[in-house]
Amino acid sequence: MSVRVQTEDFDLSHEVAALRAGQAQVGAVVSFVGTVRDMNDGSNVSEMELEHYPGMTEKALEDIVAQARKRWNIMDALVIHRVGPLEPLEQIVLVAVTSAHRGEAFAACEFVMDYLKTEAPFWKKEQTPDGARWVDARVTDDRALEKWGIRSGNAGNTA
């Protein structure tokens, strides 16, 4: 398991090759790459800046992967999350999971991403034509996590 928070971009092919290197028992690799959109909540976005709390963020990401390991028989996982200023089209996050079979890899990858969106301590600020604004937690992210039986309530969703 590897978790990294970094300002530098990552190479998906390189990271996936490194994750499965020497792992002949791996039958499935599932990856998700999140990118910066140029539009959010009806406004053009020219830049997104991500901040984190060093040490606490990495620990939270490690805990999320540990939760996935308890639920599915995965062999390894990698989470890379970028911080700092990012422009539209740039990569923000990579989640990659290996397992013997695709079902567990797909489920674990989706779980890690859903969990990360609500529970990992990142703060996002967008630059729009009307100025800078902080991005609030989303009800849709809370609902995505609820499908795994976990309630967050970060966005005020208590249903």
Side-chain angles (χ1 to χ4, degrees):
M1 170 181 70
S2 179
V3 167
R4 299 193 322 250
V5 178
Q6 62 191 41
T7 57
E8 302 82 22
D9 199 6
F10 51 83
D11 180 313
L12 174 62
S13 296
H14 171 79
E15 298 297 343
V16 168
L19 184 65
R20 58 186 290 262
Q23 305 284 331
Q25 71 276 23
V26 169
V29 179
V30 173
S31 63
F32 171 86
V33 175
T35 61
V36 178
R37 293 186 306 264
D38 67 355
M39 175 73 71
N40 191 30
D41 290 336
S43 295
N44 292 325
V45 174
S46 61
E47 181 184 272
M48 174 184 284
E49 184 165 358
L50 288 114
E51 297 180 6
H52 78 299
Y53 189 2
M56 185 172 90
T57 302
E58 290 85 348
K59 174 76 170 95
L61 295 173
E62 290 168 1
D63 290 346
I64 291 167
V65 172
Q67 290 291 321
R69 284 183 173 278
K70 288 180 183 173
R71 290 174 177 244
W72 294 279
N73 186 19
I74 61 175
M75 294 175 181
D76 207 351
L78 168 66
V79 178
I80 300 174
H81 206 297
R82 294 181 66 198
V83 293
L86 300 167
E87 295 181 354
L89 301 174
E90 288 194 73
Q91 300 178 123
I92 303 170
V93 61
L94 166 64
V95 175
V97 175
T98 62
S99 68
H101 304 287
R102 69 181 183 277
E104 292 178 306
F106 273 118
C109 187
E110 185 177 14
F111 173 84
V112 169
M113 199 57 228
D114 288 345
Y115 211 142
L116 184 156
K117 288 286 287 184
T118 58
E119 301 301 317
F122 289 101
W123 296 271
K124 299 176 187 175
K125 185 168 54 176
E126 296 174 334
Q127 294 293 332
T128 73
D130 296 324
R133 66 182 183 193
W134 291 100
V135 177
D136 291 328
R138 297 177 186 277
V139 170
T140 54
D141 292 333
D142 283 352
R143 288 191 180 132
L145 189 59
E146 285 177 5
K147 74 182 168 202
W148 304 107
I150 302 168
R151 290 182 179 235
S152 172
N154 283 344
N157 180 22
T158 56

